[in-house]
Amino acid sequence: MFPVLIGAAFLILALATQAGIVIFQRRFPAQGEAIEVTGAVLNVLDIGPKDAGPPIVLIHGASSNLEAMRRPLGDRLAANHRVILIDRPGHGWSSGSSWEMSTPAAQARMIGEALRQLDLDPVILVVHSWAGALGARMAIDDPPRLAGLVMLAPVAYPWSGGVGWYNELVSKPVIGPLLAYTITLPLGYFLTKRGARGVFQPQVMPDDFVERSATPLLLRPREFLANARDLVRLKQAVSEQAPRYPEILTPTVVISGDVDKTVSTNIHSRPLAAAVPNARLVVLPGVGHVVQNAATDVVIREIEALAGLSTSGATAAAN
């Protein structure tokens, strides 16, 4: 009798999950166009004037999608710049969630391929958190693609500890998909706001942040699995690429908060800025992990300064 009850419970949860997928996808439809790259189809949103200096490419971190960068930065920058926002592989409305695609190197390659298709070269690349490792990797592997690099609370080095037991569990074969397609969405729906508030601390999360950032899309099974794989593979990835940071010659600005409890500034941003020859470090007092929301004006000023520097350099080279 007990196995029957367990089976019935999992069936109900699976049905609830499928219903939730339909609801969330109708509530948060794709914003952008589909660009096919090797191994995935990326959702790319292109806004702002097309001929206003170097394009600015915004890449979100873990547990989010392009809306997390569009609301604080993208829409404002698009008043004067061409802005490209991309859902990382497996996130938002981009496909590609396999184990092989879950490293910064693989995702940097796919995003670089999309930028080539759009004939965007070079760009100002702005990356947050997990995507900090992606930005560093692109600067190492494909430096001509970048006119400048802005890294917001970036992950760059290995750290002590893990990435959460649930991410570790969900990234495993068989048990991971079973949990993702049954328990994750119904349970996660009630925990999403609490988790987002924790990332914002000590700042106060806006009441409408979860809705405006389309965060519930993360609870869809295929995206939750992709996110877990990204997190589980990240430490090894940064361990392998960190010795190459002195090779990065792209003009770089690293912006972090001094009370970031999610990605330690002392472990990541400070040594990264010291290792990259052309990097400048901006540490914001009293600011946590979501620097693009907590200090939007500062971040936009630094992005536009790099864009202006790139434009001046290009003009000088032409003359």
Side-chain angles (χ1 to χ4, degrees), residues 3 36 71 79 92 131 147 177 203 216:
E36 187 172 353
R71 299 304 176 182
Q203 278 68 53

Side-chain angles (χ1 to χ4, degrees), residues 5-21:
L5 293 175
I6 293 295
F10 271 94
L11 177 60
I12 292 170
L13 289 169
L15 292 173
T17 294
Q18 293 304 311
I21 292 171

Side-chain angles (χ1 to χ4, degrees), residues 49-70:
K50 299 296 186 287
D51 56 352
I56 298 170
V57 178
L58 306 178
I59 307 295
H60 64 89
S63 307
S64 61
N65 58 74
L66 64 78
E67 294 293 347
M69 299 293 275
R70 177 184 180 183

Side-chain angles (χ1 to χ4, degrees), residues 63-118:
S63 307
S64 61
N65 58 74
L66 64 78
E67 294 293 347
M69 299 293 275
R70 177 184 180 183
R71 299 304 176 182
L73 299 178
D75 287 341
R76 282 185 55 179
L77 286 165
N80 300 300
H81 306 272
R82 184 178 185 181
V83 176
I84 309 296
L85 300 109
I86 303 177
D87 283 329
R88 289 195 293 106
H91 295 259
W93 287 94
S94 290
S95 69
S97 59
S98 70
W99 184 260
E100 293 74 19
M101 298 176 189
S102 59
T103 65
Q107 296 191 17
R109 175 188 56 76
M110 287 187 276
I111 288 172
E113 186 177 339
L115 297 181
R116 284 192 294 274
Q117 290 190 39
L118 291 169

Side-chain angles (χ1 to χ4, degrees), residues 4 12 21-22 24 31 33 84 104 107 116 140 189 191 212 219 223 234-235 251 261 275 307:
V4 173
I12 292 170
I21 292 171
V22 173
F24 291 155
Q31 304 292 319
E33 63 173 310
I84 309 296
Q107 296 191 17
R116 284 192 294 274
I140 293 169
Y189 181 75
L191 300 176
R212 284 175 59 84
L219 301 176
E223 183 168 350
L234 183 58
K235 184 188 287 190
K261 302 299 183 184

Side-chain angles (χ1 to χ4, degrees), residues 148-184:
L149 178 61
V150 180
M151 310 180 82
L152 310 177
V155 178
Y157 291 92
W159 62 95
S160 61
V163 291
W165 68 268
Y166 198 76
N167 289 311
E168 298 277 1
L169 184 61
V170 169
S171 66
K172 296 185 181 301
V174 184
I175 184 65
L178 175 62
L179 294 174
Y181 280 88
T182 54
I183 295 173
T184 297

Side-chain angles (χ1 to χ4, degrees), residues 294-319:
T296 306
D297 290 344
V298 173
V299 172
I300 288 178
R301 184 167 64 245
E302 295 292 344
I303 294 170
E304 292 187 325
L306 266 189
L309 177 64
S310 171
T311 301
S312 299
T315 301
N319 294 332

